[in-house]
Amino acid sequence: MSDRVAENVGALVRRLSRHLNRKITDVLALLFRHKSAGSLGAVAGFAIAVVFAWKFLRPSRGRRTSDRRKPRASPSTSREAAGADPSPSEGFVPLRPLKVSDAIEAVASPVELTLGQIVRKKLGGCRKMTCQLLGVILEEKTPEELQKHATLRLSVLEVLEEISKYCDLYLMETVLDDESEERVLSALENGGVFQTGSLIKDKVLFCSTDVGRTSFVRQLEADWHIDSNLEIISQLLRFIRFQLYISEMESGQIAPNVFTSTCLEQFFS
C-alpha cells in the first residue's frame, strides 16, 4: 500500500512540474517581450518559490527505497526455515530427532527389574501373606518326612527375604509331633531365614491337621496365601484375595484369584 501512495505522489509531482514549466516558459516569454526591472524581479522571486516548492514536494529516493525494501527475516527464523538447528546461545536446546530404530530398540529392550521390584509388582498392595512350608520352603512334602529330617530349599531364600521386607509374612505347617517343629525351626534358623527381613520365630505356626492350617489363614485375614494342597486352596477361595497354588504340574490360573506355579521362585522370576 505504501508503494501505491508513493507512485500517486510521484505522478502528482510530475504533473505539477510540467504545469510549472509551462508557466515559467510563459513568464520568460513575457519578460523578453517586456524588459522592465519590476517584471524581472517578480519573475525571479516566482522562480525561486517554485524551486523550493518542487524540492519540498519531491519524495525522497531513500524513503521510497526503504519503503519498498522487504523485511529481512531474523537469523533464527531463517535457520529454522532452512532446517538448521538453533544455536544454544539463542535460548534453544537442540533435540536429536527420534528415529524409528530407536523406538523399536526401546520396545525390544525393556528395563530389567530387580527381584524386589518384581515381588512388589506381583503382590500389589499385599500387607499380609501366609505360606505353607512343605513343598514350598522345605524340600520335604509330607508331615511324615518331617519326623526324620527338615531341609531348607536354598533357592527360595532370596525370594523369601524380599517378601518378608514387603509384607507381614507368616509360615505354617501341619506336623505330627513336637520334634518335627524343632527340626523345622532349626532348619530355618540355620539357613538364615530369621536374620534378614521381618520374619521371626513367632511367625512360624504349627498345627496338627489341615483344617487347623485353613483356620490359621482365615484368622490372620491374609491378602495372599501360598499352599501345595489344592483342597485348602479351594476352601479359602471365598475368603482370600489371591492365592498361589504350588504344583509340579502347572495348570495355569485355575480361578480369577488363584495362580499356579511349579515353585515359589519361579512365580517371582
Side-chain angles (χ1 to χ4, degrees):
M1 184 175 178
S2 59
D3 293 343
R4 189 178 301 172
V5 172
E7 291 177 358
N8 292 336
V9 172
L12 179 61
V13 171
R14 287 192 293 272
R15 288 196 299 270
L16 180 59
S17 177
R18 287 194 296 269
H19 178 71
L20 291 175
N21 288 336
R22 288 196 298 270
K23 290 296 183 180
I24 291 174
T25 303
D26 295 340
V27 170
L28 291 177
L30 180 63
L31 178 62
F32 285 119
R33 286 196 298 269
H34 306 281
K35 298 179 181 179
S36 64
S39 299
L40 192 58
V43 170
F46 180 76
I48 293 172
V50 168
V51 170
F52 276 102
W54 178 76
K55 286 187 177 182
F56 178 80
L57 292 176
R58 183 179 62 178
S60 174
R61 293 183 59 187
R63 289 178 56 187
R64 263 205 314 268
T65 305
S66 61
D67 289 340
R68 294 180 182 178
R69 187 179 303 162
K70 295 182 179 180
R72 294 179 59 187
S74 63
S76 59
T77 307
S78 302
R79 283 196 294 270
E80 290 173 4
D85 293 335
S87 63
S89 61
E90 295 177 355
F92 297 95
V93 178
L95 298 178
R96 184 175 63 87
L98 180 64
K99 300 179 181 179
V100 177
S101 58
D102 296 339
I104 295 176
E105 184 179 355
V107 174
S109 303
V111 177
E112 185 176 353
L113 300 178
T114 64
L115 178 59
Q117 291 172 331
I118 294 175
V119 169
R120 287 165 174 76
K121 183 178 180 181
K122 289 273 189 176
L123 298 183
C126 174
R127 288 294 174 263
K128 186 178 293 184
M129 173 185 283
T130 53
C131 180
Q132 182 191 13
L133 285 164
L134 285 173
V136 182
I137 309 299
L138 301 176
E139 296 285 358
E140 291 74 22
K141 297 181 180 180
T142 64
E144 289 76 16
E145 292 181 77
L146 290 179
Q147 290 181 306
K148 300 177 182 180
H149 48 75
T151 308
L152 180 65
R153 297 181 66 247
L154 298 179
S155 59
V156 81
L157 283 178
E158 190 176 2
V159 177
L160 201 63
E161 178 184 349
E162 292 297 334
I163 294 175
S164 64
K165 290 178 180 178
Y166 183 65
C167 62
D168 196 9
L169 177 62
Y170 289 83
L171 304 180
M172 56 187 61
E173 192 46 73
T174 302
V175 295
L176 301 178
D177 50 41
D178 294 340
E179 289 76 11
S180 297
E181 294 184 20
E182 295 297 330
R183 291 187 185 95
V184 170
L185 290 174
S186 178
L188 295 175
E189 186 173 10
N190 294 335
V193 173
F194 302 128
Q195 296 178 2
T196 57
S198 61
L199 188 59
I200 58 178
K201 288 185 178 182
D202 292 340
K203 293 183 178 180
V204 182
L205 310 177
F206 298 95
C207 56
S208 57
T209 63
D210 290 342
V211 176
R213 190 160 83 245
T214 304
S215 178
F216 276 159
V217 176
R218 292 187 59 182
Q219 289 177 12
L220 290 170
E221 298 180 345
D223 299 310
W224 272 83
H225 177 62
I226 303 172
D227 210 294
S228 61
N229 190 322
L230 186 57
E231 184 178 352
I232 293 179
I233 292 287
S234 302
Q235 292 175 1
L236 294 172
L237 198 60
R238 295 179 299 141
F239 306 102
I240 306 300
R241 289 177 58 194
F242 299 104
Q243 295 188 84
L244 176 60
Y245 173 49
I246 302 297
S247 172
E248 294 180 355
M249 300 296 294
E250 187 176 355
S251 56
Q253 193 169 352
I254 60 180
N257 63 336
V258 178
F259 303 89
T260 62
S261 179
T262 57
C263 59
L264 184 63
E265 57 268 33
Q266 191 272 336
F267 180 73
F268 290 104
S269 61

